[in-house]
Amino acid sequence: SEALAAAAAASDELVLERSPLVAMKAVKNPQELEGMRRAHVRDGAAVARAFCDLERRVLDGETVDECDVADALLRYRSLDPAFLEPSFPTIAGAGPNGAIVHYSASPDSAAAVDA
């Protein structure tokens, strides 16, 4: 951040070494690893349910857009008792919108998706 850079520039004791905490935070213990595995399994199940629901809607002739995809993913993920909140907004881009980095659909820009 600018504030951090300004504070560092004003200091006579600037240290340009990697913090030992970086390596320690990168190493996960067995409980953390198992928790991540379980979270991925639960999330994968929620994504599969959402995609199944979305595919059914499309095959039934409903127009489904990128906002519907994001809403369905949030709805099915939130059914998990361990769910707290999304860590970031869903990036659901269809067609040309799929090439936009960190795209976030809005009702005005949402493209239709198909099966």
Side-chain angles (χ1 to χ4, degrees), residues 6-110:
S11 173
D12 291 335
E13 299 180 30
L14 184 60
V15 177
L16 297 175
E17 295 180 24
R18 179 174 283 217
S19 168
L21 298 177
V22 171
M24 291 190 300
K25 290 188 332 185
V27 177
K28 303 297 180 205
N29 65 41
Q31 292 80 15
E32 291 170 314
L33 291 170
E34 183 59 25
M36 289 190 320
R37 286 185 196 101
R38 289 182 181 187
H40 278 87
V41 168
R42 290 192 316 271
D43 188 62
V47 170
R49 289 183 185 104
F51 284 179
C52 182
D53 178 48
L54 291 162
E55 182 177 39
R56 179 197 49 76
R57 291 166 56 187
V58 168
L59 294 174
D60 285 348
E62 183 179 339
T63 299
V64 174
D65 66 22
E66 297 160 335
C67 290
D68 296 319
V69 172
D71 292 344
L73 288 168
L74 180 58
R75 183 172 61 254
Y76 282 95
R77 284 175 169 148
S78 67
L79 294 174
D80 180 349
F83 177 83
L84 299 175
E85 64 183 354
S87 57
F88 54 87
T90 295
I91 301 170
N97 292 342
I100 301 172
V101 178
H102 299 291
Y103 171 73
S104 184
S106 71
D108 296 330
S109 69

